[in-house]
Amino acid sequence: MINIALLGYGTVGSGVVEVLETNRESINKKAGEELNLKYVLDLRDFPGDPIQEKIVHDYEVIANDPEIQIVIEVMGGVEPAYTFVKRALESGKSVCTSNKELVAKHGAELLQIAREKNINFLFEASVGGGIPIIRPLNSSLTADEIDVITGILNGTTNYILSKMSDEGLDFDSVLKDAQDKGYAERNPEADVEGYDACRKIAILSSLAFGNQVDYEDIYTEGITKITAEDIKYAKAMGRSIKLLASSKKIDDSFYAMVAPCMVAPAHPLFSVNNVFNAIFAHGNVLGDVMFYGSGAGKLPTASAVVADVVDAAKHLQSNMMTFWSSKKLELADIKNASRRFFVRVEGDSTKVAEIENTFGKVELVDAGIAGEIGFVTGVMTEADFAAKAEKTTGIINRIRLED
Ligand code: HSE
């Protein structure tokens, strides 16, 4: 029997208990031994819930119990999760977590401790919820040099953008509706400002490139400035607007960015809608590959956590090497990255000559909106675009293109 402890009985924690109960027999068979949930750490009590008899309020009980071999951390946030997880690893307990803040900030260090102790620190659920992506990057794709990872990594924003597109609604009313239905948090900042996607692409980039990518270094723009009019233009161009989190290796430089983009219809991420997530990658020998599925939610996330527990149970005394060093990867300044831009400017057709004088030849886009001009630039660097935009009066919005 392998004893495990669960830190946090919130949405994901209760999902973990549900998955362990629902699939008890097959999970035990796959783990090779019976998994016994011995403790659940939470500040609260749950009278009437069968879990109550396992509830402890003091982490010391778990930390000091030599019978506990695997700790599941699903509390979220950096502290006290970091202190608890580090202590568990240092005392020889493997850890499985869904906590992207923790993994993005301390992943390299926690993996190093797990390596030294010959145990495991696993975090499949920290990116893409139930979508297998961490394990593929660590095993199935290791023959490749990954040069592109582009993901729709946040379900809340993908739901909002899909609904804005389907129903022609503006951002604020869709956000309110999503909050009322419980699809978006009461405090939606981490999702709508792109911070959640930023941490996730930092984790994927660190794994793909092998060195620490600090999320603070990643240029991040959310979706709060996207309007119903922008969506009309995207439709007129046959494109969809998606919050893309991407990292690319171009020659010897690494670029990473989170920003809403107008995605071309031929791109595999074009039709990833609603709460679904997807991760597109390109490897130098494999070519293109994409992972798609439920990127959030209680049971999909719990499914990935429990799969990690099974893996940890199968490798109790052997570390599964993960290629992520603490050496910092210096990202190139995105000012030097090149792409096309879609721009909306106040005015009428008499303004086109002035626009082309500044931007060079542009493609006009007609979305039937009076009083403004929509156009797409040629390929230029971010710095070049910013300088040209500075010279242009009446810019309403600009959105990057992803081809
Ligand atoms: N808030 C996240 C999302 C949950 O909307 O995708 C999963 O990390």
Side-chain angles (χ1 to χ4, degrees):
M1 187 164 78
I2 298 169
N3 284 296
I4 57 185
L6 173 64
L7 314 185
Y9 193 59
T11 306
V12 180
S14 59
V16 166
V17 172
E18 192 176 329
V19 171
L20 285 169
E21 274 164 15
T22 307
N23 294 338
R24 175 184 307 280
E25 217 176 295
S26 66
I27 286 170
N28 287 343
K29 231 182 255 166
K30 288 168 195 161
E33 263 190 78
E34 187 192 337
L35 301 179
N36 176 46
L37 181 62
K38 188 168 176 185
Y39 304 116
V40 176
L41 179 79
D42 204 287
L43 291 172
R44 300 160 297 173
D45 282 308
F46 298 87
D49 185 324
I51 210 69
Q52 181 61 38
E53 65 189 49
K54 300 181 183 203
I55 289 282
V56 292
H57 301 302
D58 183 0
Y59 182 61
E60 294 305 311
V61 177
I62 295 166
N64 295 327
D65 185 339
E67 281 190 350
I68 296 294
Q69 290 178 284
I70 301 170
V71 170
I72 303 170
E73 186 279 306
V74 288
M75 300 186 298
V78 175
E79 281 296 356
Y82 170 62
T83 304
F84 291 174
V85 166
K86 190 170 173 179
R87 184 131 174 244
L89 292 169
E90 283 172 341
S91 59
K93 304 179 196 305
S94 284
V95 173
C96 308
T97 182
S98 61
N99 186 337
K100 66 221 150 203
E101 290 97 344
L102 173 71
V103 178
K105 192 150 183 69
H106 296 292
E109 183 200 359
L110 297 171
L111 281 167
Q112 175 64 23
I113 299 171
R115 239 184 328 267
E116 285 161 12
K117 295 283 176 184
N118 216 20
I119 51 171
N120 291 288
F121 175 61
L122 302 174
F123 45 92
E124 182 62 70
S126 65
V127 181
I131 305 172
I133 181 59
I134 304 295
R135 203 166 271 99
L137 281 174
N138 275 339
S139 55
S140 330
L141 302 180
T142 45
D144 269 72
E145 299 263 338
I146 303 291
D147 48 30
V148 176
I149 301 185
T150 305
I152 293 175
L153 300 179
N154 183 268
T156 305
T157 46
N158 206 37
Y159 171 83
I160 291 172
L161 290 171
S162 300
K163 191 124 171 120
M164 284 174 73
S165 178
D166 291 347
E167 300 182 15
L169 298 170
D170 63 26
F171 172 80
D172 289 329
S173 57
V174 174
L175 172 62
K176 187 169 178 316
D177 178 63
Q179 285 173 316
D180 291 344
K181 290 188 171 133
Y183 296 155
E185 305 277 349
R186 280 287 139 208
N187 179 357
E189 192 187 7
D191 292 318
V192 299
E193 296 294 359
Y195 307 148
D196 174 81
C198 172
R199 278 152 184 79
K200 292 168 176 169
I201 194 66
I203 295 171
L204 296 183
S205 308
S206 300
L207 286 171
F209 304 135
N211 288 324
Q212 172 71 24
V213 173
D214 287 336
Y215 65 83
E216 296 93 336
D217 295 346
I218 299 177
Y219 175 85
T220 299
E221 207 179 289
I223 64 162
T224 53
K225 293 196 183 86
I226 300 294
T227 64
E229 287 74 29
D230 295 328
I231 304 248
K232 273 191 193 159
Y233 279 105
K235 283 189 174 170
M237 294 158 71
R239 290 174 178 258
S240 57
I241 300 182
K242 302 287 178 198
L243 182 66
L244 297 186
S246 63
S247 63
K248 291 182 182 157
K249 179 172 184 276
I250 300 172
D251 301 323
D252 288 327
S253 300
F254 296 88
Y255 295 90
M257 170 189 271
V258 176
C261 293
M262 286 184 163
V263 179
H267 196 291
L269 294 171
F270 170 81
S271 44
V272 174
N273 290 319
N274 300 314
V275 292
F276 285 100
N277 282 197
I279 301 107
F280 166 82
H282 181 269
N284 66 336
V285 284
L286 167 73
D288 293 346
V289 63
M290 191 159 100
F291 303 84
Y292 170 88
S294 297
K298 174 174 159 166
L299 291 177
T301 309
S303 159
V305 172
V306 175
D308 275 353
V309 174
V310 170
D311 226 3
K314 283 168 27 186
H315 299 89
L316 275 180
Q317 261 84 48
S318 65
N319 176 257
M320 294 175 277
M321 172 74 178
T322 299
F323 183 55
W324 177 350
S325 116
S326 55
K327 187 165 172 280
K328 184 177 161 88
L329 184 82
E330 293 295 342
L331 294 177
D333 193 327
I334 64 145
K335 284 193 187 120
N336 301 321
S338 295
R339 55 173 67 248
R340 293 194 291 159
F341 295 82
F342 164 74
V343 191
R344 288 169 60 202
V345 182
E346 288 166 4
D348 56 25
S349 56
T350 59
K351 184 132 183 177
V352 174
E354 183 196 324
I355 289 169
E356 293 206 317
N357 200 26
T358 307
F359 286 93
K361 187 89 190 115
V362 298
E363 281 169 37
L364 295 178
V365 183
D366 184 3
I369 299 172
E372 59 179 79
I373 303 282
F375 65 91
V376 174
T377 69
V379 174
M380 58 185 67
T381 63
E382 295 265 349
D384 200 10
F385 175 79
K388 291 177 195 310
E390 183 81 8
K391 283 195 224 153
T392 310
T393 53
I395 289 192
I396 301 167
N397 203 358
R398 58 97 182 89
I399 302 173
R400 297 170 177 87
L401 263 61
E402 180 77 13
D403 291 314

